[in-house]
Amino acid sequence: MSNSKIADAKLADAGRLRIEWAESRMPVLMHLREAGKKDLPLKGMKVAGCLHVTKETAVLIRTIRAAGAEVSWSGCNPLSTQDDVAAALAAEGTSIYAWHGLSTEEFYWCIDKTLEMKPTLTLDDGADLIFRVHDRYKDLAKDVIGGTEETTTGVHRLRAMGRAGKLLYPVIAVNDSETKWDFDNVYGTGQSSLDGVLRATSILIAGKTVVTGGFGHCGRGVAERARGLGASVIATEIKPTQALKAILEGHRVMPMDQAARLGDVFITATGMKDVLVGRHFDVLKDGAVICNTGHYDCEINIGELEARAKGRRTVRPNCEEFTMKDGRRIYLLAQGRLVNLAAAEGHPSEVMDMSFSNQYLALCKLAKEGKTLGKKVYQLPPELDQEIAGVKLTTMGVAIDKLTPEQVTYASDYSAGT
Ligand code: ADE
């Protein structure tokens, strides 16, 4: 057994089955793994990762190791670790510190343990690991060639750090690859968030009013899937262009103060704190379901919910009933943490295939060129998106057209008119 702390080593067999299932649905990453076994693009690298320990992440970890790197891993959310997957990874020699339901203190302890390897590359989902290096372990940064970041929220913060001149090494914003944000954030979040709501509540979505807090890529995905199940959708927004898109998609848009009175299910996806607060809890319908699919658990102000409740009890796994002083019941899912990972299994393997192919290629790029890069946030070249999407299509048995030589000429002919 590797250096690790996990919930239960006996779960390894179940974890292996789950990982195998994911591998059979992640053909692009598996294709990269086969190539990496020969070329060893990460040979000699030490990768510290802080990202949800799921079956899909295990496929990524196996791929990174097959490419020659040593890995040490922690989960990036207290409720997202799949304990059987963690057990399988530990059994095959990955250093891993992760278990479901750890406390905040334990969460940072796990990150600190992964840093004992003195990484040359860091990989983040939400930037907690990289912040830890910058805040507490600055001396480690000199050996780090570069880092990667998976999420919108993390990239946002790292860009701010880069602009302030505070980044100690280059970072690749994996989130900003088209084959990540335009698929994972939309279709992944859409399906997995509804999956979380359904597993936690088993309610009928058809005929319900679903309120999405935010209509960015994630909110749009949730709205589309909720509509697909027969819900009528209200989107709340702060940005006029996003609000307009929601309207043109046929959804209603209004401030949360109004939507709070109308919604049956609320799913926050903004990356911002205090989307649902006390004054909303005061007017929610009896039986309203509230949950969050943004990275941090600050979108629903749980303190203000607790302060208004005269009683609370867990009525189903990941579903807590708060009884208000006037008798109304509000159901909070997954403690306000990512409902898709805490109450379900996160995004499906097919979509993580592309996200994690970007992660892997970003690590390879940093291993090769990181030392020549500045201390700022970079994107992967857009040509890689076309390559990843091309391989994905091939594995799906889908062919597309190619431009003829005449069309290529036409495309660059600025003199052609009517
Ligand atoms: N983020 C969202 N879904 C995920 C998954 N299945 N694995 C890892 N990270 C995720």
Side-chain angles (χ1 to χ4, degrees):
M1 175 90 97
S2 53
N3 287 336
S4 60
K5 184 164 163 59
I6 53 165
D8 184 354
K10 291 195 289 302
L11 299 175
D13 283 344
R16 269 190 287 275
L17 273 180
R18 254 219 250 210
I19 299 169
E20 210 181 291
W21 180 265
E23 281 180 339
S24 71
R25 283 158 178 75
M26 300 179 79
V28 183
L29 192 54
M30 293 302 280
H31 171 80
L32 291 171
R33 186 191 292 176
E34 284 315 304
K37 277 184 192 165
K38 291 189 208 104
D39 307 341
L40 298 178
L42 297 177
K43 188 164 178 223
M45 291 293 127
K46 290 190 276 180
V47 180
C50 179
L51 189 147
H52 307 292
V53 178
T54 64
K55 58 190 185 305
E56 292 76 23
T57 301
V59 182
L60 173 64
I61 291 174
R62 284 181 175 181
T63 306
I64 296 170
R65 293 187 73 204
E70 190 190 327
V71 167
S72 192
W73 213 266
S74 68
C76 67
N77 188 286
L79 297 184
S80 63
T81 293
Q82 296 168 1
D83 284 327
D84 52 357
V85 170
L89 287 169
E92 63 197 37
T94 299
S95 161
I96 177 160
Y97 300 89
W99 61 97
H100 185 91
L102 41 67
S103 66
T104 305
E105 196 187 319
E106 290 166 331
F107 176 82
Y108 286 107
W109 178 86
C110 289
I111 292 182
D112 291 352
K113 290 301 284 181
T114 66
L115 289 173
E116 285 178 3
M117 77 176 331
K118 301 198 185 341
T120 57
L121 294 170
T122 64
L123 183 155
D124 263 284
D125 181 317
D128 284 311
L129 168 64
I130 192 167
F131 289 157
R132 198 76 174 158
V133 172
H134 282 68
D135 292 345
R136 288 262 184 123
Y137 300 102
K138 275 200 173 58
D139 52 318
L140 292 181
K142 64 179 181 326
D143 296 322
V144 182
I145 300 169
T148 65
E149 169 55 49
E150 173 83 4
T151 64
T152 315
T153 310
V155 166
H156 215 74
R157 293 179 177 194
L158 291 168
R159 281 233 157 82
M161 271 174 85
R163 278 194 299 273
K166 301 270 191 240
L167 265 187
L168 297 175
Y169 53 82
V171 174
I172 296 185
V174 170
N175 180 71
D176 294 1
S177 295
E178 190 182 353
T179 43
K180 196 280 181 181
W181 64 262
D182 217 4
F183 296 87
D184 171 316
N185 300 16
V186 183
Y187 307 101
T189 306
Q191 179 169 320
S192 62
S193 302
L194 266 301
D195 187 10
V197 171
L198 291 175
R199 292 196 206 194
T201 64
S202 119
I203 58 171
L204 179 71
I205 300 293
K208 296 280 192 304
T209 297
V210 171
V211 179
T212 68
F215 198 76
H217 302 126
C218 296
R220 173 156 64 89
V222 170
E224 283 312 312
R225 292 303 172 252
R227 168 158 63 193
L229 288 170
S232 122
V233 174
I234 297 174
T236 70
E237 252 304 332
I238 51 147
K239 213 171 160 188
T241 47
Q242 298 306 115
L244 206 49
K245 284 182 199 169
I247 292 280
L248 267 58
E249 282 297 334
H251 306 304
R252 280 178 289 167
V253 173
M254 61 186 76
M256 187 60 93
D257 285 2
Q258 267 171 267
R261 298 173 182 278
L262 305 176
D264 299 300
V265 179
F266 294 76
I267 306 178
T268 57
T270 66
M272 179 47 65
K273 67 189 272 206
D274 290 343
V275 180
L276 281 170
V277 295
R279 66 178 185 280
H280 302 131
F281 307 138
D282 289 342
V283 298
L284 287 183
K285 290 189 208 171
D286 178 33
V289 171
I290 60 176
C291 63
N292 164 54
T293 195
H295 188 79
Y296 294 109
D297 63 344
C298 59
E299 302 206 18
I300 301 174
N301 190 320
I302 296 170
E304 293 188 5
L305 178 62
E306 286 169 340
R308 282 163 167 75
K310 66 176 182 193
R312 66 194 279 182
R313 58 182 182 148
T314 298
V315 290
R316 300 168 50 87
N318 292 303
C319 182
E320 203 174 359
E321 178 187 76
F322 287 79
T323 305
M324 301 292 103
K325 292 179 182 134
D326 60 8
R328 283 172 307 118
R329 288 153 303 172
I330 297 173
Y331 295 93
L332 172 69
L333 308 188
Q335 300 171 30
R337 295 199 181 273
L338 286 156
V339 72
N340 59 339
L341 281 139
E345 291 177 64
H347 302 352
S349 310
E350 290 86 340
V351 83
M352 294 313 293
D353 188 22
M354 292 195 289
S355 309
F356 285 167
S357 293
N358 279 293
Q359 272 290 0
Y360 173 75
L361 292 171
L363 291 178
C364 295
K365 185 177 168 66
L366 288 169
K368 195 164 164 205
E369 303 164 23
K371 287 190 177 138
T372 66
L373 299 176
K375 293 170 183 175
K376 51 186 188 174
V377 178
Y378 291 85
Q379 268 176 250
L380 284 171
E383 304 82 67
L384 268 184
D385 282 313
Q386 299 311 323
E387 267 179 50
I388 290 174
V391 178
K392 188 80 177 167
L393 285 171
T394 307
T395 64
M396 294 165 90
V398 177
I400 58 173
D401 287 329
K402 273 200 181 73
L403 290 180
T404 63
E406 292 74 23
Q407 286 174 312
V408 172
T409 307
Y410 179 80
S412 55
D413 178 6
Y414 52 81
S415 67
T418 45

